[in-house]
Amino acid sequence: MNKRSFEDFGLSQETLKSLFKLRYEKPTEVQYSVIPEVLKGRDVIVKSQTGSGKTAAFAIPICEKLELEQKNPQVLVLTPTRELAVQVKEDFSHIGRFKRIRCAAVFGKQPIDIQKRELKQRVHVVVGTPGRTSDHIDKKNLILDDIKYLVLDEADKMLDMGFIDQVEAIVKLLPKDRVTMLFSATMPQEIEEICRKYMINPEKIELQAKNPTVEKIAQWYHEVEDSRKFSVLKTIIYTEKPESCILFCNTREKVQELLSEMKREGFYCAALHGGMEQNKRLETVQGFKHGEFHFLIATDVAARGLHIDDVSHVINYEVPMENESYVHRIGRTGRAGKEGTAITLSTKRELRFLHEIEEYIQHSIQEKDIPTDKEVAEGKEAFERSIKSKPKAKPDKAERLNREITKIRINSGKKSKMRPGDILGAITSIEGVSADDIGIIDVQDTCSYVEVFGKAGEVVARKLPTINIKGKLQTVKKVRIRNF
Ligand code: AMP
């Protein structure tokens, strides 16, 4: 790891402040390589895994380069899944918060009109899945004329999921004068082809050919018959005492079955699979991130690309059918330089797949004995005292950022001809408050929101109800900042 700091890139004070609040102390390797290239305006092809800090690697330099006054979107990020789209949007918004950068996420299974309304406002960054992004382009909700940055995130996953033609069709519509960034864990032929066709003299950045994650994570397996899996799982839980754990199953049905068993035993847990409604999935991920429950029981598809920090354990309740899934699964732990543990429960029949996985990752996974009754009894007592009690909510990473910001709702919007300038004018008429204190102003149909930075927030919240906006006093109140 390098000893460089974010200051070395000559970033703005606003961006440095966001990074500080997010506790990004120094650049990760991928950030160290990518940020200067993008700041120079070069195309980049980056071979890296999730968990390497790649989202910030593209979001930081892009935030520095955006023109705030520009009305049409300047950045398009395409991602394979809805969850990833939401997470990238969140990360981008956090990094660009003090620069007043606005981001929107567009993805299927959410009413298109809600997204249309968002796109109609000034948004600088649009993050979307290929299908829904195409829909918005066709309906002219998304104007591509001023796109200057294109990011293809997890390109290999988009290929696997059959989105590559849609991606290519979108790329063809974009202005040629742009910076293109492609991030992918692997570089299959089709992805190389996309790079060759749509990128100009790209800088190729490859981070450690070997899979560093796999080596950093303690891995072992237990051979166990299917009928005994749940009781063995409990012995693992009592001896390992995971603080936060993802349990992987191969099918939705298995997820549901394990969820019922876990709940019956009184564990705090929730399920995540593709059959769940979109909002429920997002809520679940958010709840897990905030530490509302210890165990997330998931299928591969639902968990791909999740940015969840501090997962202490991954348990494969079933051996994955694809080698790559194993790498993705265990990559949920041991993130951002932390230690992680990955345990696999394998039946005799599944051992064949596990050996294939070992060959694929070029790392041998040792078998361990099932914990003894004595170990379990000792661990169980401690676990029940600390862990089985209701988990304490973990503060969200963005919370430190949000504490710096006061969000205020004004009960009047476009229908009353409210414009951002009216709100800006009223706020800056307050003594001691300047335009620099004001963040994103969001005028919706019947109400408006404004973010105010630092100490000015309280002053504005107190004084604004006494000031005429559009010729009259408005109902004004502070609201909670939601991250999605
Ligand atoms: P990603 O590879 O984008 O999935 O990022 C993995 C995780 O690392 C995210 O949850 C980020 O919040 C976190 N992260 C990214 N950059 C840094 C950094 N420089 N320092 C600490 N954490 C980081």
Side-chain angles (χ1 to χ4, degrees), residues 6 22-28 30-31 49-56 91 305-309 335-336 397:
F6 282 113
L22 290 167
R23 293 184 196 270
Y24 290 6
E25 281 158 17
K26 56 183 174 117
T28 63
V30 66
Q31 290 159 4
Q49 315 281 336
T50 55
S52 56
K54 66 184 170 57
T55 315
D91 284 359
L306 289 186
H307 295 215
I308 300 172
D309 293 331
R335 288 162 84 82
K397 229 184 201 171

Side-chain angles (χ1 to χ4, degrees), residues 127-139:
V127 187
T129 50
R132 185 51 74 90
T133 303
S134 297
D135 290 348
H136 282 296
I137 296 170
D138 292 346
K139 292 188 162 64

